[in-house]
Amino acid sequence: MIRTRNSWQIMADTIFALIMRELRSRYGNGRLGYFWALAVPAAQAAVMVLIFSSIGRKSLTGVPVALFMLVSLLPFKMFFKTLTQVSGAIDANAGLLSYRQVVALDPVIARVLLEFFHFILVAFILFSGLGWLGVDVLPDRFLELLLACILLALLANGCGLVVCSVALYWDSVNKVISVLMTPMMLFSGVFFAASMIPEQYWHLIAWNPVFHALELMRDAWFRSYATPAGSWEYLIMAVVLSNSLGLMLYWRNRERFILS
Amino acid sequence: MIGFENVSKYYPTRNGRSYVFREINAEIPTDKSIGILGPNGAGKSTLIRMIGGADMPSAGRIYSDVNISWPLGLQGGVQGNMSGRENARFVARIHGYRDTREIEERVADFAEIGKYFDEPMKNYSSGMRSRVTFGITMAFDFNFDVLLIDELTAVGDAAFKKKSEQVLKQKYASSTLIMVNHSVDQLRQFCDAGLVVYDKNIRYFDDISDAVNEYKRLYGV
């Protein structure tokens, strides 16, 4: 017999079912998927280490280059991966929307959670590896760091919802996002901290909430680094705004999601 | 009872809104099985999808005090890149089951498609598809008061047709059906009452024969 459930329990059951289904379709066919999830950021960080050590630098803002790179690379990748995953979430689960328990928002939430847990897992493994190599990887203020990560995931959720709705009217939006990803790496300060560039150029990147998230993470992680530019207020404002806009567009278009 | 309150449904097209239904106000009883009649494109499937919560009205609302199934049909309800087993598991999970293995096995037994049960459903033939979709509903003890069926029994070989008709009668002796089917004979066989879709609205008839006659008169078939 079926339990009587309230709407929150139904939503939780549905999101659980969706997460299990996504896990299976993504990693069900062998474990190579996880291998690449670990290998790609590790290789990228290694390349940066090579570049910086070839110009004779071992540390950035008093932090070993590899650690510095991973601390900004992994969250940045999480943000963009979530964004692209979320923008395709509804389409990929369209057949399941015909059950009344499943609403179009559920696959979105499922993918945000999935990407977040994935990010935590990859980060844990890579930083453990770095620690094993003798780098001091323990974050200085862990809770602040976690908060910044959660805010970044929520930002991806909000932006992803906006992209979902835009994609209803304009298919190519996903291609535009992947084109934007490379310059965004620069504009998010993945390879440098705010203190490494002159103050008069900060305005070029300070508009970007992802940059603020990365700065706040560095601030929380490295004892030797205090961010001169990262702002909690700005990041939280961006999270609230993007999610409000995303939910508004979602509600306005909720009929169309079912059709597509 | 299923009630319609100012229900309209339209789709945006290049020439503006195309109405499928316009301001339906009706209450239809659910103590009898109902056959839905109407030509192609009249909105039979849309109606059944809206009743089942798979689609929503553009305006107005549909309310009900009974437990209604999702629309069982060939389109929707399953995800093509998931296997039959995964689809069954998914449906069990969203209905609150923790242990899904028993249900998976029951669906497999009903569908009788062997190893294809673990293949992605997009590779299924339409007959295999309907076996699994049908199996998924039959495997649960949902105790739906109303079962929505959209052309489900139209495909499949004679043996499967017979089997599914039997199961329908047996297992859902306690529940009623709302079904769309192009075969008037089948509608007569399963349904007592009829609903004719006409002029972007619906008309309910207590007797399926009256509904069939009205349908023939209105559409000249």
Side-chain angles (χ1 to χ4, degrees):
Chain A
M1 223 18 248
I2 306 172
R3 302 173 279 133
T4 321
R5 301 171 295 166
N6 64 35
S7 5
W8 291 105
Q9 285 166 321
I10 293 175
M11 191 173 184
D13 281 340
T14 305
I15 289 173
F16 171 74
L18 283 166
I19 289 179
M20 295 310 283
R21 139 178 169 48
E22 296 261 344
L23 271 179
R24 212 179 148 81
S25 57
R26 238 185 270 182
Y27 305 114
N29 320 318
R31 265 149 218 89
L32 225 54
Y34 255 104
F35 167 74
W36 288 117
L38 292 172
V40 171
Q44 278 174 324
V47 168
M48 295 315 288
V49 171
L50 276 179
I51 293 176
F52 276 96
S53 51
S54 71
I55 56 169
R57 293 198 64 161
K58 292 252 172 340
S59 69
L60 299 169
T61 67
V63 177
V65 177
L67 182 63
F68 184 94
M69 288 304 155
L70 278 183
V71 168
S72 47
L73 251 180
L74 290 180
F76 179 82
K77 279 184 139 2
M78 183 266 284
F79 178 80
F80 263 92
K81 184 90 183 303
T82 309
L83 198 60
T84 45
Q85 283 292 319
V86 160
S87 58
I90 300 177
D91 240 14
N93 292 290
L96 302 171
L97 293 180
S98 54
Y99 298 102
R100 67 170 70 222
Q101 289 88 347
V102 188
V103 296
L105 200 55
D106 293 331
V108 172
I109 298 174
R111 284 199 171 178
V112 171
L113 287 176
L114 196 64
E115 287 305 327
F116 191 71
F117 293 137
H118 177 84
F119 157 68
I120 298 283
L121 191 70
V122 169
F124 183 79
I125 296 174
L126 285 181
F127 286 119
S128 304
L130 215 53
W132 182 70
L133 289 174
V135 182
D136 176 22
V137 288
L138 286 185
D140 187 28
R141 297 186 303 279
F142 183 73
L143 287 181
E144 257 179 55
L145 177 70
L146 192 65
L147 179 64
C149 290
I150 292 173
L151 285 173
L152 188 61
L154 288 176
L155 184 69
N157 181 61
C159 297
L161 277 174
V162 175
V163 175
C164 274
S165 295
V166 173
L168 285 174
Y169 299 91
W170 188 42
D171 306 336
S172 317
V173 65
N174 265 326
K175 297 194 182 76
V176 175
I177 290 180
S178 39
V179 169
L180 281 180
M181 183 167 157
T182 317
M184 277 300 281
M185 228 164 175
L186 203 62
F187 284 110
S188 305
V190 174
F191 305 128
F192 51 83
S195 66
M196 291 161 65
I197 53 171
E199 196 171 341
Q200 73 247 40
Y201 297 120
W202 283 355
H203 68 273
L204 287 175
I205 46 175
W207 56 269
N208 183 358
V210 181
F211 164 72
H212 287 265
L214 295 184
E215 275 293 303
L216 291 166
M217 284 178 205
R218 282 193 275 257
D219 188 302
W221 197 306
F222 309 133
R223 197 162 301 144
S224 60
Y225 185 70
T227 176
S231 146
W232 289 102
E233 290 82 0
Y234 188 79
L235 179 59
I236 291 171
M237 191 189 73
V239 167
V240 172
L241 276 181
S242 63
N243 278 282
S244 310
L245 182 66
L247 284 172
M248 212 164 72
L249 288 172
Y250 165 77
W251 192 248
R252 186 80 187 76
N253 292 301
R254 65 196 191 285
E255 255 185 88
R256 284 173 188 261
F257 285 122
I258 292 174
L259 285 182
S260 58
Chain B
M1 176 268 298
I2 299 169
F4 295 80
E5 197 181 287
N6 283 322
V7 173
S8 292
K9 180 72 186 175
Y10 52 78
Y11 292 103
T13 63
R14 283 179 195 160
N15 311 315
R17 287 175 179 177
S18 161
Y19 276 88
V20 185
F21 293 108
R22 202 187 274 265
E23 288 172 23
I24 304 178
N25 279 294
E27 274 196 1
I28 51 176
T30 48
D31 52 346
K32 283 179 172 181
S33 290
I34 304 170
I36 301 181
L37 293 143
N40 284 342
K44 300 184 299 295
S45 294
T46 306
L47 183 67
I48 218 167
R49 280 167 54 79
M50 286 199 298
I51 295 174
D55 205 340
M56 46 188 114
S58 310
R61 73 186 189 102
I62 298 173
Y63 54 92
S64 156
D65 54 0
V66 290
N67 199 356
I68 304 174
S69 81
W70 67 87
L72 296 167
L74 295 176
Q75 303 133 12
V78 294
Q79 184 69 25
N81 50 12
M82 287 155 69
S83 70
R85 183 183 299 281
E86 283 161 358
N87 272 293
R89 190 181 297 159
F90 181 82
V91 176
R93 282 198 176 124
I94 62 172
H95 282 89
Y97 285 82
R98 283 281 174 268
D99 185 19
T100 58
R101 192 161 309 153
E102 194 191 327
I103 284 165
E104 288 164 33
E105 287 316 310
R106 267 193 270 170
V107 178
D109 284 346
F110 184 89
E112 286 178 344
I113 55 170
K115 61 180 199 292
Y116 287 102
F117 195 55
D118 289 305
E119 290 292 312
M121 283 189 77
K122 59 178 180 232
N123 300 341
Y124 287 14
S125 72
S126 55
M128 284 153 73
R129 234 175 122 87
S130 66
R131 277 164 178 260
V132 172
T133 351
F134 208 67
I136 288 176
T137 1
M138 295 306 137
F140 293 86
D141 3 82
F142 288 141
N143 298 325
F144 290 122
D145 300 314
V146 178
L147 207 58
L148 303 175
I149 298 182
D150 187 0
E151 304 261 15
L152 188 66
T153 49
V155 289
D157 49 34
F160 176 68
K161 268 188 190 168
K162 204 173 157 197
K163 186 172 168 182
S164 46
E165 280 170 19
Q166 250 171 15
V167 171
L168 258 187
K169 279 181 182 157
Q170 261 174 30
K171 189 156 188 173
Y172 287 90
S174 57
S175 62
T176 58
L177 310 175
I178 295 183
M179 67 191 293
V180 171
N181 203 313
H182 277 289
S183 146
V184 173
D185 288 337
Q186 246 190 350
L187 284 183
R188 277 186 208 272
Q189 188 191 343
F190 283 106
C191 307
D192 315 307
L195 202 63
V196 180
V197 180
Y198 181 69
D199 194 22
K200 303 178 182 16
N201 217 314
I202 53 173
R203 278 189 220 171
Y204 175 76
F205 294 88
D206 242 351
D207 189 336
I208 183 80
S209 304
D210 293 345
V212 172
N213 290 338
E214 180 70 2
Y215 166 65
K216 285 182 174 162
R217 191 183 68 78
L218 286 172
Y219 289 103
V221 285

PDB file of all heavy atoms in Angstrom, chain B residues 89-114:
ATOM      1  N   ARG B  89      10.989   1.309 -12.408  1.00  0.00           N
ATOM      2  CA  ARG B  89      11.584   1.688 -11.131  1.00  0.00           C
ATOM      3  C   ARG B  89      11.285   3.156 -10.817  1.00  0.00           C
ATOM      4  O   ARG B  89      10.944   3.520  -9.702  1.00  0.00           O
ATOM      5  CB  ARG B  89      13.090   1.467 -11.208  1.00  0.00           C
ATOM      6  CG  ARG B  89      13.799   1.600  -9.894  1.00  0.00           C
ATOM      7  CD  ARG B  89      15.273   1.386 -10.081  1.00  0.00           C
ATOM      8  NE  ARG B  89      15.602   0.054 -10.546  1.00  0.00           N
ATOM      9  CZ  ARG B  89      16.732  -0.256 -11.152  1.00  0.00           C
ATOM     10  NH1 ARG B  89      17.630   0.687 -11.399  1.00  0.00           N
ATOM     11  NH2 ARG B  89      16.972  -1.480 -11.533  1.00  0.00           N
ATOM     12  N   PHE B  90      11.393   3.979 -11.858  1.00  0.00           N
ATOM     13  CA  PHE B  90      11.141   5.401 -11.663  1.00  0.00           C
ATOM     14  C   PHE B  90       9.714   5.644 -11.193  1.00  0.00           C
ATOM     15  O   PHE B  90       9.469   6.382 -10.242  1.00  0.00           O
ATOM     16  CB  PHE B  90      11.404   6.150 -12.975  1.00  0.00           C
ATOM     17  CG  PHE B  90      11.194   7.633 -12.870  1.00  0.00           C
ATOM     18  CD1 PHE B  90      12.184   8.441 -12.357  1.00  0.00           C
ATOM     19  CD2 PHE B  90       9.994   8.203 -13.256  1.00  0.00           C
ATOM     20  CE1 PHE B  90      11.992   9.802 -12.229  1.00  0.00           C
ATOM     21  CE2 PHE B  90       9.788   9.559 -13.131  1.00  0.00           C
ATOM     22  CZ  PHE B  90      10.788  10.363 -12.623  1.00  0.00           C
ATOM     23  N   VAL B  91       8.770   4.997 -11.875  1.00  0.00           N
ATOM     24  CA  VAL B  91       7.364   5.196 -11.511  1.00  0.00           C
ATOM     25  C   VAL B  91       7.122   4.713 -10.083  1.00  0.00           C
ATOM     26  O   VAL B  91       6.403   5.354  -9.303  1.00  0.00           O
ATOM     27  CB  VAL B  91       6.440   4.467 -12.504  1.00  0.00           C
ATOM     28  CG1 VAL B  91       4.993   4.599 -12.083  1.00  0.00           C
ATOM     29  CG2 VAL B  91       6.613   5.033 -13.890  1.00  0.00           C
ATOM     30  N   ALA B  92       7.749   3.608  -9.707  1.00  0.00           N
ATOM     31  CA  ALA B  92       7.590   3.116  -8.340  1.00  0.00           C
ATOM     32  C   ALA B  92       8.127   4.136  -7.341  1.00  0.00           C
ATOM     33  O   ALA B  92       7.497   4.420  -6.323  1.00  0.00           O
ATOM     34  CB  ALA B  92       8.320   1.789  -8.169  1.00  0.00           C
ATOM     35  N   ARG B  93       9.263   4.721  -7.682  1.00  0.00           N
ATOM     36  CA  ARG B  93       9.873   5.671  -6.744  1.00  0.00           C
ATOM     37  C   ARG B  93       9.035   6.921  -6.579  1.00  0.00           C
ATOM     38  O   ARG B  93       8.859   7.408  -5.458  1.00  0.00           O
ATOM     39  CB  ARG B  93      11.278   6.048  -7.214  1.00  0.00           C
ATOM     40  CG  ARG B  93      12.292   4.966  -6.906  1.00  0.00           C
ATOM     41  CD  ARG B  93      13.690   5.511  -6.955  1.00  0.00           C
ATOM     42  NE  ARG B  93      14.646   4.474  -6.566  1.00  0.00           N
ATOM     43  CZ  ARG B  93      15.653   4.088  -7.329  1.00  0.00           C
ATOM     44  NH1 ARG B  93      15.850   4.634  -8.514  1.00  0.00           N
ATOM     45  NH2 ARG B  93      16.475   3.161  -6.902  1.00  0.00           N
ATOM     46  N   ILE B  94       8.535   7.480  -7.688  1.00  0.00           N
ATOM     47  CA  ILE B  94       7.768   8.719  -7.523  1.00  0.00           C
ATOM     48  C   ILE B  94       6.439   8.453  -6.832  1.00  0.00           C
ATOM     49  O   ILE B  94       5.801   9.368  -6.347  1.00  0.00           O
ATOM     50  CB  ILE B  94       7.522   9.482  -8.858  1.00  0.00           C
ATOM     51  CG1 ILE B  94       6.710   8.647  -9.829  1.00  0.00           C
ATOM     52  CG2 ILE B  94       8.815   9.942  -9.480  1.00  0.00           C
ATOM     53  CD1 ILE B  94       6.288   9.441 -11.045  1.00  0.00           C
ATOM     54  N   HIS B  95       6.039   7.201  -6.764  1.00  0.00           N
ATOM     55  CA  HIS B  95       4.820   6.900  -6.023  1.00  0.00           C
ATOM     56  C   HIS B  95       5.122   6.513  -4.586  1.00  0.00           C
ATOM     57  O   HIS B  95       4.246   6.066  -3.857  1.00  0.00           O
ATOM     58  CB  HIS B  95       4.022   5.797  -6.718  1.00  0.00           C
ATOM     59  CG  HIS B  95       3.263   6.314  -7.902  1.00  0.00           C
ATOM     60  ND1 HIS B  95       3.803   6.353  -9.161  1.00  0.00           N
ATOM     61  CD2 HIS B  95       2.024   6.858  -8.006  1.00  0.00           C
ATOM     62  CE1 HIS B  95       2.920   6.880  -9.995  1.00  0.00           C
ATOM     63  NE2 HIS B  95       1.850   7.203  -9.328  1.00  0.00           N
ATOM     64  N   GLY B  96       6.371   6.663  -4.188  1.00  0.00           N
ATOM     65  CA  GLY B  96       6.701   6.509  -2.777  1.00  0.00           C
ATOM     66  C   GLY B  96       7.150   5.121  -2.365  1.00  0.00           C
ATOM     67  O   GLY B  96       7.273   4.858  -1.177  1.00  0.00           O
ATOM     68  N   TYR B  97       7.396   4.234  -3.325  1.00  0.00           N
ATOM     69  CA  TYR B  97       7.894   2.912  -2.958  1.00  0.00           C
ATOM     70  C   TYR B  97       9.384   3.000  -2.648  1.00  0.00           C
ATOM     71  O   TYR B  97      10.130   3.669  -3.358  1.00  0.00           O
ATOM     72  CB  TYR B  97       7.695   1.912  -4.093  1.00  0.00           C
ATOM     73  CG  TYR B  97       6.277   1.454  -4.240  1.00  0.00           C
ATOM     74  CD1 TYR B  97       5.358   2.222  -4.928  1.00  0.00           C
ATOM     75  CD2 TYR B  97       5.859   0.254  -3.690  1.00  0.00           C
ATOM     76  CE1 TYR B  97       4.042   1.818  -5.055  1.00  0.00           C
ATOM     77  CE2 TYR B  97       4.557  -0.169  -3.823  1.00  0.00           C
ATOM     78  CZ  TYR B  97       3.647   0.614  -4.505  1.00  0.00           C
ATOM     79  OH  TYR B  97       2.356   0.207  -4.632  1.00  0.00           O
ATOM     80  N   ARG B  98       9.815   2.322  -1.604  1.00  0.00           N
ATOM     81  CA  ARG B  98      11.238   2.304  -1.276  1.00  0.00           C
ATOM     82  C   ARG B  98      11.918   1.113  -1.959  1.00  0.00           C
ATOM     83  O   ARG B  98      12.977   1.241  -2.544  1.00  0.00           O
ATOM     84  CB  ARG B  98      11.428   2.204   0.236  1.00  0.00           C
ATOM     85  CG  ARG B  98      11.188   3.500   0.942  1.00  0.00           C
ATOM     86  CD  ARG B  98      12.399   4.436   0.822  1.00  0.00           C
ATOM     87  NE  ARG B  98      12.082   5.739   1.391  1.00  0.00           N
ATOM     88  CZ  ARG B  98      11.596   6.748   0.687  1.00  0.00           C
ATOM     89  NH1 ARG B  98      11.393   6.625  -0.604  1.00  0.00           N
ATOM     90  NH2 ARG B  98      11.322   7.890   1.267  1.00  0.00           N
ATOM     91  N   ASP B  99      11.278  -0.048  -1.858  1.00  0.00           N
ATOM     92  CA  ASP B  99      11.849  -1.234  -2.485  1.00  0.00           C
ATOM     93  C   ASP B  99      11.125  -1.484  -3.798  1.00  0.00           C
ATOM     94  O   ASP B  99       9.929  -1.747  -3.826  1.00  0.00           O
ATOM     95  CB  ASP B  99      11.698  -2.443  -1.560  1.00  0.00           C
ATOM     96  CG  ASP B  99      12.386  -3.661  -2.152  1.00  0.00           C
ATOM     97  OD1 ASP B  99      13.243  -3.471  -3.033  1.00  0.00           O
ATOM     98  OD2 ASP B  99      12.044  -4.777  -1.750  1.00  0.00           O
ATOM     99  N   THR B 100      11.863  -1.376  -4.899  1.00  0.00           N
ATOM    100  CA  THR B 100      11.197  -1.392  -6.191  1.00  0.00           C
ATOM    101  C   THR B 100      11.352  -2.721  -6.921  1.00  0.00           C
ATOM    102  O   THR B 100      10.773  -2.909  -7.976  1.00  0.00           O
ATOM    103  CB  THR B 100      11.765  -0.284  -7.092  1.00  0.00           C
ATOM    104  OG1 THR B 100      13.170  -0.487  -7.227  1.00  0.00           O
ATOM    105  CG2 THR B 100      11.520   1.072  -6.488  1.00  0.00           C
ATOM    106  N   ARG B 101      12.137  -3.646  -6.347  1.00  0.00           N
ATOM    107  CA  ARG B 101      12.480  -4.841  -7.106  1.00  0.00           C
ATOM    108  C   ARG B 101      11.254  -5.686  -7.438  1.00  0.00           C
ATOM    109  O   ARG B 101      11.097  -6.150  -8.558  1.00  0.00           O
ATOM    110  CB  ARG B 101      13.505  -5.674  -6.335  1.00  0.00           C
ATOM    111  CG  ARG B 101      14.114  -6.760  -7.187  1.00  0.00           C
ATOM    112  CD  ARG B 101      15.407  -7.254  -6.599  1.00  0.00           C
ATOM    113  NE  ARG B 101      16.308  -6.156  -6.300  1.00  0.00           N
ATOM    114  CZ  ARG B 101      17.243  -6.203  -5.357  1.00  0.00           C
ATOM    115  NH1 ARG B 101      17.390  -7.279  -4.639  1.00  0.00           N
ATOM    116  NH2 ARG B 101      18.038  -5.178  -5.145  1.00  0.00           N
ATOM    117  N   GLU B 102      10.371  -5.820  -6.451  1.00  0.00           N
ATOM    118  CA  GLU B 102       9.196  -6.652  -6.646  1.00  0.00           C
ATOM    119  C   GLU B 102       8.345  -6.125  -7.805  1.00  0.00           C
ATOM    120  O   GLU B 102       7.869  -6.880  -8.643  1.00  0.00           O
ATOM    121  CB  GLU B 102       8.390  -6.655  -5.344  1.00  0.00           C
ATOM    122  CG  GLU B 102       7.337  -7.725  -5.275  1.00  0.00           C
ATOM    123  CD  GLU B 102       6.406  -7.493  -4.098  1.00  0.00           C
ATOM    124  OE1 GLU B 102       6.878  -6.968  -3.060  1.00  0.00           O
ATOM    125  OE2 GLU B 102       5.217  -7.804  -4.234  1.00  0.00           O
ATOM    126  N   ILE B 103       8.211  -4.800  -7.838  1.00  0.00           N
ATOM    127  CA  ILE B 103       7.402  -4.196  -8.898  1.00  0.00           C
ATOM    128  C   ILE B 103       8.059  -4.381 -10.259  1.00  0.00           C
ATOM    129  O   ILE B 103       7.395  -4.718 -11.240  1.00  0.00           O
ATOM    130  CB  ILE B 103       7.150  -2.722  -8.561  1.00  0.00           C
ATOM    131  CG1 ILE B 103       6.084  -2.668  -7.474  1.00  0.00           C
ATOM    132  CG2 ILE B 103       6.721  -1.942  -9.778  1.00  0.00           C
ATOM    133  CD1 ILE B 103       5.964  -1.361  -6.796  1.00  0.00           C
ATOM    134  N   GLU B 104       9.383  -4.201 -10.314  1.00  0.00           N
ATOM    135  CA  GLU B 104      10.088  -4.419 -11.576  1.00  0.00           C
ATOM    136  C   GLU B 104       9.810  -5.823 -12.112  1.00  0.00           C
ATOM    137  O   GLU B 104       9.547  -6.009 -13.296  1.00  0.00           O
ATOM    138  CB  GLU B 104      11.597  -4.259 -11.365  1.00  0.00           C
ATOM    139  CG  GLU B 104      12.046  -2.841 -11.138  1.00  0.00           C
ATOM    140  CD  GLU B 104      13.448  -2.785 -10.563  1.00  0.00           C
ATOM    141  OE1 GLU B 104      14.267  -3.653 -10.897  1.00  0.00           O
ATOM    142  OE2 GLU B 104      13.714  -1.878  -9.754  1.00  0.00           O
ATOM    143  N   GLU B 105       9.870  -6.795 -11.200  1.00  0.00           N
ATOM    144  CA  GLU B 105       9.663  -8.175 -11.637  1.00  0.00           C
ATOM    145  C   GLU B 105       8.241  -8.388 -12.144  1.00  0.00           C
ATOM    146  O   GLU B 105       8.011  -9.079 -13.131  1.00  0.00           O
ATOM    147  CB  GLU B 105       9.960  -9.160 -10.488  1.00  0.00           C
ATOM    148  CG  GLU B 105      11.450  -9.284 -10.195  1.00  0.00           C
ATOM    149  CD  GLU B 105      12.291  -9.408 -11.467  1.00  0.00           C
ATOM    150  OE1 GLU B 105      11.969 -10.246 -12.329  1.00  0.00           O
ATOM    151  OE2 GLU B 105      13.270  -8.638 -11.618  1.00  0.00           O
ATOM    152  N   ARG B 106       7.283  -7.758 -11.451  1.00  0.00           N
ATOM    153  CA  ARG B 106       5.898  -7.922 -11.897  1.00  0.00           C
ATOM    154  C   ARG B 106       5.681  -7.310 -13.280  1.00  0.00           C
ATOM    155  O   ARG B 106       4.972  -7.866 -14.109  1.00  0.00           O
ATOM    156  CB  ARG B 106       4.945  -7.295 -10.871  1.00  0.00           C
ATOM    157  CG  ARG B 106       4.459  -8.312  -9.854  1.00  0.00           C
ATOM    158  CD  ARG B 106       3.312  -7.778  -9.059  1.00  0.00           C
ATOM    159  NE  ARG B 106       3.796  -7.091  -7.870  1.00  0.00           N
ATOM    160  CZ  ARG B 106       3.033  -6.348  -7.073  1.00  0.00           C
ATOM    161  NH1 ARG B 106       1.756  -6.165  -7.377  1.00  0.00           N
ATOM    162  NH2 ARG B 106       3.527  -5.775  -6.006  1.00  0.00           N
ATOM    163  N   VAL B 107       6.297  -6.154 -13.507  1.00  0.00           N
ATOM    164  CA  VAL B 107       6.172  -5.534 -14.833  1.00  0.00           C
ATOM    165  C   VAL B 107       6.817  -6.442 -15.879  1.00  0.00           C
ATOM    166  O   VAL B 107       6.253  -6.684 -16.946  1.00  0.00           O
ATOM    167  CB  VAL B 107       6.834  -4.136 -14.859  1.00  0.00           C
ATOM    168  CG1 VAL B 107       6.732  -3.527 -16.249  1.00  0.00           C
ATOM    169  CG2 VAL B 107       6.189  -3.220 -13.846  1.00  0.00           C
ATOM    170  N   ALA B 108       7.980  -6.990 -15.548  1.00  0.00           N
ATOM    171  CA  ALA B 108       8.680  -7.875 -16.482  1.00  0.00           C
ATOM    172  C   ALA B 108       7.813  -9.091 -16.811  1.00  0.00           C
ATOM    173  O   ALA B 108       7.712  -9.500 -17.969  1.00  0.00           O
ATOM    174  CB  ALA B 108      10.012  -8.315 -15.882  1.00  0.00           C
ATOM    175  N   ASP B 109       7.177  -9.641 -15.782  1.00  0.00           N
ATOM    176  CA  ASP B 109       6.313 -10.800 -15.998  1.00  0.00           C
ATOM    177  C   ASP B 109       5.148 -10.464 -16.915  1.00  0.00           C
ATOM    178  O   ASP B 109       4.787 -11.233 -17.792  1.00  0.00           O
ATOM    179  CB  ASP B 109       5.759 -11.308 -14.656  1.00  0.00           C
ATOM    180  CG  ASP B 109       6.824 -12.061 -13.887  1.00  0.00           C
ATOM    181  OD1 ASP B 109       7.851 -12.390 -14.507  1.00  0.00           O
ATOM    182  OD2 ASP B 109       6.627 -12.302 -12.681  1.00  0.00           O
ATOM    183  N   PHE B 110       4.575  -9.301 -16.679  1.00  0.00           N
ATOM    184  CA  PHE B 110       3.419  -8.937 -17.489  1.00  0.00           C
ATOM    185  C   PHE B 110       3.817  -8.658 -18.931  1.00  0.00           C
ATOM    186  O   PHE B 110       3.157  -9.104 -19.869  1.00  0.00           O
ATOM    187  CB  PHE B 110       2.723  -7.698 -16.906  1.00  0.00           C
ATOM    188  CG  PHE B 110       1.472  -7.338 -17.635  1.00  0.00           C
ATOM    189  CD1 PHE B 110       0.256  -7.888 -17.261  1.00  0.00           C
ATOM    190  CD2 PHE B 110       1.501  -6.473 -18.718  1.00  0.00           C
ATOM    191  CE1 PHE B 110      -0.903  -7.578 -17.949  1.00  0.00           C
ATOM    192  CE2 PHE B 110       0.351  -6.161 -19.408  1.00  0.00           C
ATOM    193  CZ  PHE B 110      -0.861  -6.718 -19.020  1.00  0.00           C
ATOM    194  N   ALA B 111       4.930  -7.938 -19.097  1.00  0.00           N
ATOM    195  CA  ALA B 111       5.304  -7.487 -20.441  1.00  0.00           C
ATOM    196  C   ALA B 111       5.793  -8.648 -21.311  1.00  0.00           C
ATOM    197  O   ALA B 111       5.580  -8.643 -22.519  1.00  0.00           O
ATOM    198  CB  ALA B 111       6.374  -6.415 -20.342  1.00  0.00           C
ATOM    199  N   GLU B 112       6.440  -9.632 -20.698  1.00  0.00           N
ATOM    200  CA  GLU B 112       6.946 -10.789 -21.433  1.00  0.00           C
ATOM    201  C   GLU B 112       7.770 -10.394 -22.647  1.00  0.00           C
ATOM    202  O   GLU B 112       7.536 -10.869 -23.754  1.00  0.00           O
ATOM    203  CB  GLU B 112       5.769 -11.663 -21.908  1.00  0.00           C
ATOM    204  CG  GLU B 112       5.116 -12.447 -20.791  1.00  0.00           C
ATOM    205  CD  GLU B 112       3.932 -13.264 -21.275  1.00  0.00           C
ATOM    206  OE1 GLU B 112       3.460 -12.987 -22.390  1.00  0.00           O
ATOM    207  OE2 GLU B 112       3.494 -14.146 -20.551  1.00  0.00           O
ATOM    208  N   ILE B 113       8.721  -9.485 -22.453  1.00  0.00           N
ATOM    209  CA  ILE B 113       9.565  -9.115 -23.586  1.00  0.00           C
ATOM    210  C   ILE B 113      11.006  -9.556 -23.360  1.00  0.00           C
ATOM    211  O   ILE B 113      11.911  -9.114 -24.061  1.00  0.00           O
ATOM    212  CB  ILE B 113       9.512  -7.603 -23.886  1.00  0.00           C
ATOM    213  CG1 ILE B 113       9.866  -6.786 -22.633  1.00  0.00           C
ATOM    214  CG2 ILE B 113       8.149  -7.203 -24.410  1.00  0.00           C
ATOM    215  CD1 ILE B 113      10.062  -5.325 -22.937  1.00  0.00           C
ATOM    216  N   GLY B 114      11.210 -10.401 -22.361  1.00  0.00           N
ATOM    217  CA  GLY B 114      12.511 -11.022 -22.169  1.00  0.00           C
ATOM    218  C   GLY B 114      13.627 -10.035 -21.927  1.00  0.00           C
ATOM    219  O   GLY B 114      13.489  -9.093 -21.160  1.00  0.00           O
TER     220      GLY B 114
END
